[in-house]
Amino acid sequence: MTAVNRLRPRRSCLAVPGSNPRFLEKAQGLPADQVFLDLEDACAPLAKEGARHHIVDALNNGDWTGKTRVVRVNDWTTHWTYRDVITVVEGAGPNLDCIMLPKVQDAQQVVALDLLLTQIEKTMGFEAGRIGIEAQIENAKGLVNIDDIAAASPRLETLIFGPADFMASINMKTLVVGQQPPGYGADAYHYILMRILMAARTHDLQAIDGPFLQIRDVDAYREVAGRAAALGFDGKWVLHPGQVDAANEVFSPSQEDYDHAEQILDAYDWCTSEAGGKKGSAMLGDEMIDEASRKMALVIAGKGRAAGMQRTSKFEAPEA
């Protein structure tokens, strides 16, 4: 298989019903990093077959410039999954970046999708291994098996938290997806999010937070997204165009932090060089920086560069 760079920008991951041609067209003009065309929950059972063909047409004939193109198929417990994959990948494989698999419960479900994708690619003459997989964790069994899931395939790009189904699977006492259940004083999602994040980082995958269903309350969306961003998540789903800008902002560094990160990288490069005295640490203003500082700065600088940010300050080497 060809090696593929799996770390794509995914600050905002826009869900679009595959059965709605108008929404499929509108999504192409929105500033989301990723768009996933949905064959699962957003499509009624009787609409799924037609939605496959709407999606193939949209992928082949639409303008998705700058966006990661993903299709969410139905999960393996249904009878739709294999036909979802075959129709979409055979019909639009060269114009597709990833398949999202919902309700992943064990590693073998990811392996099965990998095998099916490989067979289609070889049959159709497509580049083998190019299409990635996104695994959605939506129940207790999936979370318990997450380490094996994260290691299941070289195609895997992301682990995604699916809060609604997960809340139902553990009998969480609330009907508001993504908000804290009444009666619990701490963050009820902290363990789940951290467990997903640890598995993702162990296997060099991205971690994506799921949807917030109160789509008109953008302030509440920012609050929930900010929780995931603070932990280190790479992005979050958006269900409405009004959430896109909020996601892009929350999962990008501030201009001040981005400038500071670039300054740290420049300062560290200088202090470890011949001209800087080949030192392992140095002062940047009132701050001591070293190799650990460089690693932290690489994360922030990388997010800023991926978001297209430009520096507003420049490192000046101290005079000898």
Side-chain angles (χ1 to χ4, degrees):
M1 285 190 182
T2 304
V4 177
N5 178 15
R6 304 292 187 190
L7 298 178
R8 318 170 197 264
R10 285 184 169 94
R11 298 168 300 171
S12 49
C13 302
L14 176 65
V16 184
S19 56
N20 191 317
R22 183 171 66 87
F23 285 4
L24 290 170
E25 183 176 357
K26 182 177 181 180
Q28 297 169 40
L30 296 174
D33 286 346
Q34 172 174 301
V35 174
F36 72 89
L37 314 181
D38 195 12
L39 287 168
E40 199 212 14
D41 289 349
C43 287
L46 294 178
K48 291 184 189 291
E49 182 176 353
R52 294 170 185 149
H53 301 288
H54 289 316
I55 286 173
V56 169
D57 180 66
L59 288 171
N60 287 338
N61 299 310
D63 182 1
W64 304 97
T65 303
K67 295 176 175 58
T68 295
R69 304 154 298 178
V70 179
V71 173
R72 179 167 73 161
V73 298
N74 289 276
D75 78 273
W76 279 120
T77 68
T78 73
H79 64 280
W80 295 299
T81 317
Y82 83 102
R83 183 56 63 188
D84 289 344
V85 177
I86 291 170
T87 300
V88 169
V89 178
E90 285 190 353
N95 298 313
L96 175 68
D97 295 310
C98 298
I99 292 289
M100 184 188 299
L101 185 64
K103 299 177 179 60
V104 177
Q105 299 187 63
D106 59 53
Q108 291 309 306
Q109 293 182 329
V110 176
V111 171
L113 178 57
D114 186 325
L115 290 171
L116 181 55
L117 287 170
T118 299
Q119 290 186 348
I120 297 170
E121 288 166 340
K122 290 181 176 180
T123 298
M124 300 297 294
F126 299 155
E127 179 183 346
R130 188 192 62 80
I131 297 172
I133 294 175
E134 301 190 352
Q136 199 173 1
I137 307 301
E138 299 189 73
N139 57 34
K141 186 175 180 180
L143 192 67
V144 168
N145 291 327
I146 194 166
D147 291 313
D148 290 338
I149 290 169
S153 167
R155 293 181 187 267
L156 207 60
E157 299 193 13
T158 70
L159 298 176
I160 305 165
F161 177 38
D165 282 281
F166 198 101
M167 292 158 66
S169 84
I170 63 173
N171 296 343
M172 188 177 282
K173 191 180 177 182
T174 181
L175 290 172
V176 183
V177 175
Q179 288 190 346
Q180 300 298 325
Y184 187 72
D187 183 351
Y189 304 99
H190 181 76
Y191 169 75
I192 303 166
L193 292 174
M194 286 300 291
R195 191 70 189 84
I196 291 171
L197 184 64
M198 292 304 103
R201 295 297 181 251
T202 298
H203 297 279
D204 296 323
L205 308 177
Q206 291 183 319
I208 305 298
D209 195 13
F212 182 73
L213 273 60
Q214 309 299 310
I215 60 173
R216 301 193 188 281
D217 192 343
V218 179
D219 289 339
Y221 177 89
R222 286 179 185 276
E223 181 180 348
V224 174
R227 174 189 65 194
L231 292 176
F233 272 63
D234 299 287
K236 183 172 176 63
W237 279 16
V238 293
L239 301 184
H240 186 272
Q243 296 177 332
V244 174
D245 287 343
N248 288 342
E249 178 185 330
V250 169
F251 288 95
S252 297
S254 67
Q255 185 67 49
E256 180 181 2
D257 285 346
Y258 173 65
D259 284 339
H260 188 201
E262 294 284 16
Q263 290 266 17
I264 289 172
L265 294 176
D266 287 349
Y268 186 79
D269 284 347
W270 179 82
C271 79
T272 57
S273 70
E274 190 79 36
K278 297 182 287 187
K279 299 188 295 287
S281 64
M283 296 300 294
L284 179 61
D286 294 331
E287 176 185 15
M288 190 193 82
I289 62 169
D290 58 12
E291 171 63 12
S293 308
R294 185 190 70 85
K295 290 175 181 175
M296 294 170 66
L298 276 174
V299 173
I300 303 301
K303 288 180 181 290
R305 293 168 189 172
M309 299 179 71
Q310 300 295 317
R311 297 179 65 167
T312 60
S313 65
K314 183 176 162 184
F315 171 71
E316 300 286 351
E319 295 181 5

